[in-house]
């Protein structure tokens, strides 16, 4: 064989080797057979109950079930057993990932609407003893959870605060009260509940009243006032109470009123003070109550704009209690939405992550408090830097596999203990941040974050609104 | 060399490239002659003057840059080896790019693996550029023109003479970015068999701009430090290998088998949000060319397979798991062309072409969460097949006048299978469901027409004019990317503007009508001076431009009204108009004496390109520019001082929030030394280390967390290379 022929064969073999080496499959989808999923007729599901759903794939392969609204319902991924957790739309997804022969099926959704009953009933929680000229608080609850209002049918014998249920005795005899709940868009009005408190005649001797019971202090309608209230007065001393006096500790603020809670004006701010309450009758002053710290419940809503998950933003809605006496915040808890989980048309709601562990509070350097609350009872959100590393945002524990049980989330708010409902300025808003390492917040090993310079998907804080929690 | 072949014009052109390597078997005078000039040529337009490829090609890693010296050609800067040429303002898929006769396509959603990246600059034997008025035999499914890049043609030993064998080793280095490359070529040939083998390897670190263009700091959290001058994500490493077998079974019949393989470990991209982390391709190319009594017959069959990977390079945040994107494509093509010499003055060319293209662009799920557990199918089982037929008649009246007329029909069919997102979450599933419900199959029929005439009015003046109708069907990446989720849309971008793109399945083909006129003044022997002026105007109906995405997931009104940020766009048929002037010339200043030969070369171009539907400017248009080069040839040395001035780019695309760039002027110096077997090049690029923004460089996205529309600073353009000391050496053996 001549050299050219040898070379030609050699080249040919090399070519064949080269081509075969670079062959390879054309991807899993090329020859896969399409399949589809069909849900069977939906079951009836009541709040608090459970039912089974059933879906089948045309391939005959097993279907996987997921709940797209885990706050409303959960579902067993294999059996399809659904458990109702709350009212709302229970959105279920059925999927089938395919195999060597079948392509993944387009996911199919089923929505079960869980509605609470419209009926509600009222139940007596506490019926206290009421003494002549004394005070006590009645408590009735509605099965709907809506607030109950009170009224007196015997205004000569007693008065009642319509919201708190604080009953004040005006004379001896039966004090007749009516508790009612008028209903709302989802509930019918409850059957009113009639209550009777019998007030016995007092002794002829008059003495100073005893110590007011259940004294509390909260911020007033504005942040520069405090309302000092009470839940009862065991013994009025046989004489009507003429004056209620609130005094601050440390001293400096005093206010009085002839009845009901006392409103104290704090001049500039109310922080740093506790308050006592004293009842006075014709015989004189009774003993002062123990000092009550100023505790106020607030609602808070913080929004992080998410440029890349529009129209959904990350929103935290929660509550906290401000102790104006000690300038501390406690009980910050609420729900953080996962903006990647909702649909653009709003039909699929965003998944909500419950944050209920307030574990960190630091000074913001400008008189405010940076308060953080977490999904888990630990601040470890990002590894290895606790929850500070919103820049990297890699989940805690990485590179170990992500685990739902250890997936943490948090939000950090900037709260002003002195003027809690004040609107934050632009600089203060940018101190807010969040991190979400729960399932709906994960991208690769990165958690969804939002902070001043833009989080994982560019999210950044845009507002925080604090309002007084309505009285219940 | 076949005597008969020399007298056949097409083969003569091909064989003009044979001198790339000297042959030990050649007589020494011929060998000396071949070392004196670069044998490779560029033909711009159907009958335009031949130009030598730039001498600095031995120091160049990006083949597309070799074209940037040609009038009417500009370059979209991209990765280190993947520039995208533009012809008279139209680029990328609007250009038919052929490498050794194969229509190669960028399968990447960012067009990182551009067709010209599949041949190393040092392997290029000849480049032909047809801008605007393209003969139908060279065009089809393109409206801008055609670029044909060919390796050196095979050479055979003379009958009865000893076999030939030779080789070359060459290397280059650039100080900026510590770029370096090495290429080896070897040949062996008898009278009937010729074998060639070559391998080229080049790599570079990030290059540096002339001055700081951004703050210094870590490239991304946890990543290495980048100072203010270092242009992130410009490093690359690429290797191209080729193997060729040519058989001359008869003096008039040539069969060639070419094999090519590229392996790119990485090529980072400063104007994209991802980097190429692997590109492996193989090409198989079998061709035949034969001379018959009636004319010439050419046939070709070829295949190109690509396995392409993208992910976060070393200058980007990697989100812990990276963000892999995989692409596979397979292109198969065949062509048949017969050129019939009707008589001495008339030639008729008839041809047929067929091509199939298959694409699977998928993004594997990562981690646990919203990018898992499924694989995201960006384009699943995309196909784009084309069949073309053409006829072209050419008539010559002496050497003064010629007319060429061509008619061509192409039929293009495209389709894509159903898609899925990373999971069943609404952000993916809603778009996927809407896309899957569409009829995605489309068939387009193109009718192209070309009329080209040349007329030599006098010994010192020649005219060339023509008109053409050209048609192009939308690419798969213009039709089928379906997700309006911003992160996914940002991954579909082949223009480097930092924006996100969403496909429009029912796009219509775009049709261009071009008229062009050139005048060429020169001295009688074309040896002392020449001046060429070309004017052109192109009207494009159904021009595929972009409009702002108005869906809720795109951001709604915010996306529509953003003027200073990255945005999300949908492809849309509109209309466009492009007109411009190219001026080029050359003058020998001194042709003797102890200082040797001095000559001056110059070229200038200006273009005006607008979207006539919206009044907006078209994206990425080169501002007015001027280049002058003074060359001294003295013995074996050639020295060139080159100056380039580019005006500020103020005509920008508003819909894309394109960023204007300031004007600049650059100087460069180059010298080369040619010995018999040795070629040395020295140069200093950007002599005064000027800082400048590349007008066609796009948005700088080369570092940081790049997966969001807002996570990268908007308004920073990719800067040009700062000063670089270049050296290249090649040795023939």
């Amino acid at each position: 064989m001549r050299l050219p022929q040898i070379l030609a064969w050699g080249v040919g073999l090399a070519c064949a080797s080269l081509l075969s080496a670079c062959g390879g499959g054309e991807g899993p989808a090329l020859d896969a057979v399409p399949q589809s999923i069909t849900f069977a007729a939906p079951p009836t599901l009541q709040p608090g109950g459970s039912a089974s759903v059933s879906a089948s794939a045309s391939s005959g392969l097993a279907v996987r079930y997921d709940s797209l609204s885990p706050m409303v319902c959960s579902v067993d991924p294999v059996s399809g057993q659904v458990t109702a957790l709350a009212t709302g739309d229970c959105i279920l997804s059925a999927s089938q990932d395919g195999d060597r022969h079948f392509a993944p099926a387009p996911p199919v959704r089923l929505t079960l609407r869980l509605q609470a009953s419209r009926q509600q009933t009222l139940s007596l929680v506490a019926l206290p003893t009421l003494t002549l000229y004394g005070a006590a608080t009645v408590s009735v609850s509605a099965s709907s959870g809506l607030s109950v209002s009170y009224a007196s049918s015997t205004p000569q014998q007693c008065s009642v605060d319509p919201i708190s249920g604080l009953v004040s005795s005006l004379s001896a005899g039966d004090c007749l009260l009516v508790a009612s709940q008028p209903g709302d868009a989802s509930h019918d009005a409850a059957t009113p509940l009639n209550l009777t408190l019998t007030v016995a005649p007092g002794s002829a001797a008059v003495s100073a009243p005893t110590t007011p019971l259940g004294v509390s202090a909260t911020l007033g309608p504005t942040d520069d006032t405090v309302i000092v209230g009470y839940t009862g007065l065991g013994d009025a001393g046989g004489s009507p109470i003429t004056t209620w006096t609130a005094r601050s500790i440390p001293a400096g603020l005093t206010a009085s009123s002839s009845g009901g809670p006392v409103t104290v004006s704090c001049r500039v701010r109310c922080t740093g003070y506790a308050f006592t309450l004293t009842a006075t009758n014709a015989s004189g002053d009774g003993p002062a109550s123990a000092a009550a710290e100023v505790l106020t419940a607030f609602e808070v809503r913080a929004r992080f704009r998410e440029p890349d998950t529009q129209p959904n933003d990350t929103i935290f809605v929660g509550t906290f209690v401000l102790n104006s006496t000690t300038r501390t915040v406690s009980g910050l808890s609420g729900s953080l939405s996962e903006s990647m989980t909702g649909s653009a048309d709003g039909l699929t709601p965003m998944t909500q992550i419950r944050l209920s562990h307030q574990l960190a509070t630091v000074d913001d350097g400008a008189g405010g408090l940076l308060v953080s609350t977490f999904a888990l009872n630990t601040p470890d959100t990002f590894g290895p830097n606790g929850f500070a590393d919103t820049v990297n945002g890699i989940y805690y524990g990485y590179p170990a596999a992500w685990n739902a049980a250890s997936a943490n989330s948090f939000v950090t708010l900037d709260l002003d203990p002195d003027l809690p409902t004040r609107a934050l300025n632009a600089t203060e808003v940018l101190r807010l941040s969040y991190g979400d390492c729960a399932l709906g917040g994960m991208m690769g090993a990165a958690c969804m974050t939002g902070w001043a310079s833009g989080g994982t998907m560019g999210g950044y804080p845009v507002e925080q609104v604090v309002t007084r929690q309505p009285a219940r | 060399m076949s005597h008969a072949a020399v007298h056949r014009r097409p083969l003569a052109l091909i064989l003009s490239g044979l001198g790339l390597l000297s042959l030990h078997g050649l007589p020494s005078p011929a060998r000396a002659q071949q070392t004196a000039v670069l044998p490779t040529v560029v033909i711009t337009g159907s009958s335009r003057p031949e130009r030598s490829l730039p001498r600095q090609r031995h120091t160049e890693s990006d083949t597309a840059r070799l074209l940037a010296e040609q009038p009417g050609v500009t370059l979209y800067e991209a990765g280190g080896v993947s520039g995208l040429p533009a012809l008279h303002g139209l680029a990328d898929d609007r250009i038919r790019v052929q490498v050794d006769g194969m229509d190669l396509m960028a399968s990447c959603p960012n067009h990182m693996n551009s067709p010209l990246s599949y041949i190393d600059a040092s392997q290029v034997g000849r480049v032909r550029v047809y801008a605007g008025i393209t003969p139908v035999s060279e065009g089809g499914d393109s409206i801008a023109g055609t670029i044909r890049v060919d390796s050196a043609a095979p050479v055979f030993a003379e009958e009865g003479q000893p076999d030939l064998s030779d080789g070359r080793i060459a290397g280059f280095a650039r100080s900026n970015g510590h770029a370096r490359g090495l290429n080896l070529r070897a040949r062996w040939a008898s009278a009937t068999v010729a074998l060639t083998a070559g391998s080229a390897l080049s790599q570079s670190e990030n290059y540096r701009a002339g001055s700081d263009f951004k703050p210094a700091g870590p490239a991304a959290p946890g990543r290495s430090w980048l100072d203010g001058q270092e242009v992130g994500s410009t490093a690359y490493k690429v290797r191209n290998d080729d193997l060729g077998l040519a058989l001359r079974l008869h003096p008039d019949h040539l069969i060639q088998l070419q094999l090519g393989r590229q392996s790119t470990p990485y090529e980072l991209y400063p104007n994209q949000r991802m980097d190429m982390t692997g590109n492996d391709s193989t090409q198989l190319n079998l061709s035949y060319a034969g001379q018959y009594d009636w004319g010439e017959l050419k046939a070709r069959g070829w295949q190109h397979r690509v396995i392409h990977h993208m992910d976060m390079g070393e200058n980007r945040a990697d989100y812990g798991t990276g963000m892999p994107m995989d692409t596979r494509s397979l292109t198969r093509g065949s062509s048949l062309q017969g050129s019939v010499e009707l008589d001495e003055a008339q030639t008729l060319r008839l041809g047929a072409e067929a091509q199939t293209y298959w694409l699977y662009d998928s993004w594997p799920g990562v981690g646990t969460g919203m990018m898992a557990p499924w694989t995201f199918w960006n384009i699943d089982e995309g196909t784009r097949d084309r069949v073309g037929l053409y006829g072209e008649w050419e008539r010559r009246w002496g050497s003064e006048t010629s007319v060429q007329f061509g008619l061509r029909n192409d039929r293009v069919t495209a389709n894509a299978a159903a898609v899925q997102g990373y999971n069943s979450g609404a952000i993916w599933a809603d778009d996927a469901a809407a896309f899957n419900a569409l009829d995605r199959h489309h068939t387009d029929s193109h009718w192209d027409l070309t009329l080209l005439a040349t007329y030599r009015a006098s010994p010192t003046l020649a005219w060339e004019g023509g008109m053409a109708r050209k048609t192009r069907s939308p690419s798969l990446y213009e039709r089928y990317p379906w997700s309006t989720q911003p992160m996914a849309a940002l991954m579909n971008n082949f223009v480097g503007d930092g924006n996100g793109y969403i496909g429009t399945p029912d796009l219509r083909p775009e049709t261009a009508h071009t008229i062009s006129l050139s005048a060429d003044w020169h001295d009688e022997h074309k040896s002392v001076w020449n001046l060429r002026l070309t004017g052109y105007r192109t009207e494009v109906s159904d021009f595929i431009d972009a409009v702002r995405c108005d869906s809720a997931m795109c951001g709604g009104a915010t996306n529509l009204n953003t003027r200073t940020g990255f945005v999300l766009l949908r492809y849309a048929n509109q209309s466009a108009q492009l007109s411009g002037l190219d001026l080029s010339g050359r003058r020998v200043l001194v042709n003797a004496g102890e200082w040797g030969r001095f000559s001056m070369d110059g070229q200038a171009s200006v273009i005006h390109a607008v979207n006539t539907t919206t009044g907006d400017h078209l994206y990425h248009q080169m501002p007015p520019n001027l280049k002058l080069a003074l060359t001294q040839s003295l013995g074996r040395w050639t020295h060139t001082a080159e100056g380039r001035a580019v005006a500020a780019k103020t005509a920008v695309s508003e819909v894309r929030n394109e960023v204007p760039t300031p004007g600049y002027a650059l100087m460069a110096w180059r010298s080369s030394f040619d010995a018999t077997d040795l070629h040395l090049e020295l140069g200093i690029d950007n002599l005064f280390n000027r800082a400048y923004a590349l007008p066609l460089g796009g948005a700088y996205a080369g570092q940081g967390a790049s997966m969001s529309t807002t996570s990268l600073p908007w308004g920073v353009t990719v800067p040009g290379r700062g000063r670089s000391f270049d050296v290249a050496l090649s040795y023939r053996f």
Side-chain angles (χ1 to χ4, degrees), chain B residues 9 46 130 133-138 347 349 392-397 402-406 450-454 465-467:
Chain B
R9 194 164 54 88
S46 60
Y130 299 92
I133 311 296
T134 310
V136 295
S137 58
E138 302 286 351
T347 303
R349 273 182 287 276
E392 191 170 85
W393 171 73
E394 189 173 322
R395 175 78 162 90
R396 299 168 292 278
W397 288 271
S402 70
V403 170
Q404 185 189 82
F405 173 76
T450 294
L451 178 61
L452 181 67
T454 61
M467 53 193 301

Side-chain angles (χ1 to χ4, degrees), chain B residues 603-619:
Chain B
Q603 66 183 60
S605 67
V606 59
I607 186 170
H608 178 67
V610 295
N611 180 320
T612 52
T613 302
T614 64
D616 197 3
H617 295 285
L618 296 191
Y619 177 68

Side-chain angles (χ1 to χ4, degrees), chain A residues 3-4 7-8 11 14-15 18-19 21-30 93 95 97 103-105 107 109 305 307-308 310-311 340-345 348 391-392 394 398 402 439-440 442-446 456-458, chain B residues 188 190 193 195 221-222 243 245 257 259-261 282 284 303 305 307 319-321 323 328 330 358 360 366-371 374 377 380-381 420 424-427 429-430 485-487 490 552-553 555 558 707-710:
Chain A
L3 178 61
L7 287 171
V11 170
C15 296
L18 190 64
L19 287 173
C22 59
E26 272 99 27
L30 237 194
S93 169
S95 58
D97 292 349
R109 291 186 214 172
R305 177 167 172 78
D308 290 351
Q310 290 299 297
M340 286 196 293
T341 58
S343 65
D345 56 15
T348 302
V391 178
N392 274 314
I394 304 298
Y398 177 83
W402 180 90
L439 189 64
M442 293 301 298
M443 295 169 48
T456 315
M457 297 282 273
Chain B
W188 173 90
S190 69
V193 178
L195 293 172
L243 204 58
L245 167 66
L257 176 64
L259 292 165
R261 181 167 188 169
T282 53
L284 170 65
Q303 171 180 302
R305 184 188 296 270
I307 300 175
Y319 302 88
T321 56
M323 298 283 169
R328 294 183 179 190
L330 177 63
W358 171 87
Y360 176 54
V366 290
T368 304
M370 298 312 291
M371 298 179 68
W374 300 344
W377 296 346
D380 180 30
E381 207 173 343
Q420 66 177 25
S424 61
I427 59 170
D430 289 356
Q485 203 284 322
M487 182 184 67
L490 290 172
M553 195 139 65
T558 301
M707 300 293 281
S708 162
T709 53
T710 57

Side-chain angles (χ1 to χ4, degrees), chain B residues 94-160:
Chain B
R94 296 187 168 99
I95 302 173
R96 183 180 189 187
V97 180
Q98 289 189 302
V99 176
D100 286 327
M102 299 179 288
D103 287 285
L104 304 184
M105 283 182 276
S107 298
C108 165
N110 300 151
H111 283 194
M112 291 182 178
N113 50 2
S114 65
L116 293 178
S117 68
Y118 291 112
I119 183 168
D120 186 81
S122 65
Q123 297 174 13
V124 173
R126 184 184 60 169
V127 178
R128 285 180 288 179
V129 178
Y130 299 92
I133 311 296
T134 310
V136 295
S137 58
E138 302 286 351
D141 196 23
S142 58
I143 63 170
T146 299
I147 295 173
R148 294 193 58 168
V149 178
D150 294 311
S151 307
V155 64
F156 298 91
E158 294 288 353
E159 284 287 351

Side-chain angles (χ1 to χ4, degrees), chain A residues 136-318:
Chain A
T137 300
V138 296
S139 178
V140 173
S141 66
S143 60
S144 63
L146 298 174
S147 58
V148 174
S149 62
Y150 305 91
S152 170
S153 303
T154 52
Q156 280 72 35
Q157 272 70 45
C158 60
S159 64
V160 62
D161 184 279
I163 298 174
S164 68
L166 176 64
V167 185
S168 298
S169 167
L170 303 176
S171 63
D174 285 347
C175 167
L176 305 181
L177 303 172
V178 179
S180 60
Q181 213 301 313
D184 62 7
S186 303
H187 300 87
D188 298 330
T191 302
L193 185 64
N194 296 313
L195 306 171
T196 301
L197 296 176
T198 300
V199 179
S203 64
V206 174
S207 60
T210 57
T211 304
L213 302 174
V215 173
S216 63
T218 63
L219 289 174
T222 57
D223 293 340
D224 58 352
T225 59
V226 169
I227 297 173
V228 181
Y230 55 96
T231 61
L233 180 65
D235 185 353
S239 173
I241 302 300
T242 55
T243 307
W244 296 87
T245 303
R247 294 185 177 86
S248 67
I249 296 175
L253 302 175
T254 303
S256 300
S257 75
S258 58
V262 180
T263 299
V264 183
S265 177
C266 303
R267 302 193 190 101
V268 178
R269 60 186 59 176
C270 298
T271 46
Y273 294 104
F275 292 88
T276 63
L277 185 65
T278 302
T280 303
N281 62 9
S283 175
D285 291 347
S289 69
E293 295 182 333
V294 181
L295 303 176
T296 313
F298 288 92
E299 294 181 343
V300 60
R301 184 179 188 275
R303 186 167 68 91
F304 297 81
R305 177 167 172 78
E306 300 289 354
D308 290 351
T309 64
Q310 290 299 297
N312 298 331
D313 286 333
T314 298
I315 298 170
F316 173 78
V317 176

Side-chain angles (χ1 to χ4, degrees), chain A residues 445-458:
Chain A
C447 309
M448 190 81 166
T449 62
W451 61 297
S453 296
T456 315
M457 297 282 273

